[in-house]
Amino acid sequence: ETGVTQSPTHLIKTRGQQVTLRCSSQSGHNTVSWYQQALGQGPQFIFQYYREEENGRGNFPPRFSGLQFPNYSSELNVNALELDDSALYLCASSLWTSSYEQYFGPGTRLTVT
Amino acid sequence: KNEVEQSPQNLTAQEGEFITINCSYSVGISALHWLQQHPGGGIVSLFMLSSGKKKHGRLIATINIQEKHSSLHITASHPRDSAVYICAVRSPETSGSRLTFGEGTQLTVNP
């Protein structure tokens, strides 16, 4: 059983650019959640996807968008990057039930200059 | 005020000491998670609990639903326990597996 993987590991972008981050879910998991973790802070919920549809969104602007594919892998897209978008982006996969564990990927460290 | 508050923010201990990290929350929950994050960034789930107490090795997690409070205890602490420990809750009012996190407690265990 493979774990949750994310790519790339690190990324440097310029303000105004667009970025796509990728996450492969743990085998059998149908729900993916994305979190943003600024330095020294706890993770903040961005959104989650279940069966290829966004189902739940945190306090993030529309320039944060995502996709979930039939194999349950997922992408996080951020347009018009701002300096404050610099953070560790974590994805977590799970089953669609409140009683199930979440499994986190290693994260993508995004730096916006 | 954050929905999930942890204390202390930073904790330094000597090897072998008993450690307690506290988490208080202000919302109704369906589950509470204790997570460990090492400097590389990856997060490992330690416990998920909705009542009572769980134990795994030297780690013990307790929760008091009435008081909206949970504690994570580490017995016989070791330098390899040095990490950030994060409390996170799942609300029954939100769908799926969305978590709300505390700010984390940075634990340093010195040899």
Side-chain angles (χ1 to χ4, degrees):
Chain A
E1 179 178 271
T2 58
V4 181
T5 60
Q6 291 186 244
S7 62
T9 307
H10 295 90
L11 198 55
I12 299 175
K13 289 286 190 177
T14 303
R15 190 172 49 185
Q17 286 187 316
Q18 178 265 342
V19 69
T20 297
L21 310 182
R22 294 179 174 83
C23 172
S24 290
S25 303
Q26 184 147 323
S27 177
H29 287 182
N30 57 16
T31 303
V32 174
S33 303
W34 284 93
Y35 298 90
Q36 180 196 65
Q37 186 178 24
L39 202 61
Q41 306 287 320
Q44 297 289 319
F45 175 75
I46 303 174
F47 45 54
Q48 69 181 356
Y49 277 80
Y50 169 61
R51 290 186 176 178
E52 303 177 52
E53 291 198 1
E54 184 181 298
N55 196 312
R57 188 178 184 95
N59 189 26
F60 281 81
R63 58 189 186 83
F64 285 78
S65 63
L67 285 172
Q68 187 181 31
F69 300 100
N71 66 354
Y72 302 131
S73 65
S74 177
E75 288 182 354
L76 165 65
N77 299 290
V78 187
N79 293 321
L81 284 167
E82 301 177 0
L83 297 179
D84 285 349
D85 296 333
S86 295
L88 179 70
Y89 288 85
L90 296 158
C91 78
S93 76
S94 180
L95 290 176
W96 182 264
T97 168
S98 63
S99 63
Y100 200 77
E101 287 274 8
Q102 284 200 41
Y103 292 82
F104 286 84
T108 293
R109 175 74 62 187
L110 173 65
T111 302
V112 182
T113 62
Chain B
K1 189 179 189 300
N2 292 336
E3 292 180 341
V4 182
E5 299 270 355
Q6 286 185 236
S7 64
Q9 282 188 305
N10 294 282
L11 182 56
T12 301
Q14 289 300 122
E15 184 172 356
E17 286 185 356
F18 180 84
I19 287 163
T20 295
I21 299 170
N22 295 299
C23 175
S24 295
Y25 52 92
S26 57
V27 296
I29 67 168
S30 58
L32 182 142
H33 297 246
W34 280 102
L35 308 154
Q36 181 191 57
Q37 186 172 34
H38 281 282
I43 290 179
V44 175
S45 179
L46 300 174
F47 295 104
M48 182 179 71
L49 64 166
S50 54
S51 65
K53 173 181 174 179
K54 287 190 177 181
K55 184 176 189 292
H56 185 259
R58 295 180 295 106
L59 301 178
I60 303 167
T62 64
I63 188 168
N64 185 317
I65 297 295
Q66 287 73 30
E67 295 186 3
K68 295 186 175 177
H69 181 269
S70 176
S71 293
L72 175 68
H73 306 285
I74 305 175
T75 61
S77 60
H78 190 277
R80 66 174 174 267
D81 297 327
S82 298
V84 175
Y85 292 84
I86 306 174
C87 169
V89 301
R90 179 178 295 151
S91 168
E93 295 170 348
T94 58
S95 54
S97 53
R98 171 179 180 167
L99 296 178
T100 301
F101 292 78
E103 299 280 304
T105 295
Q106 173 68 63
L107 171 64
T108 303
V109 182
N110 294 318

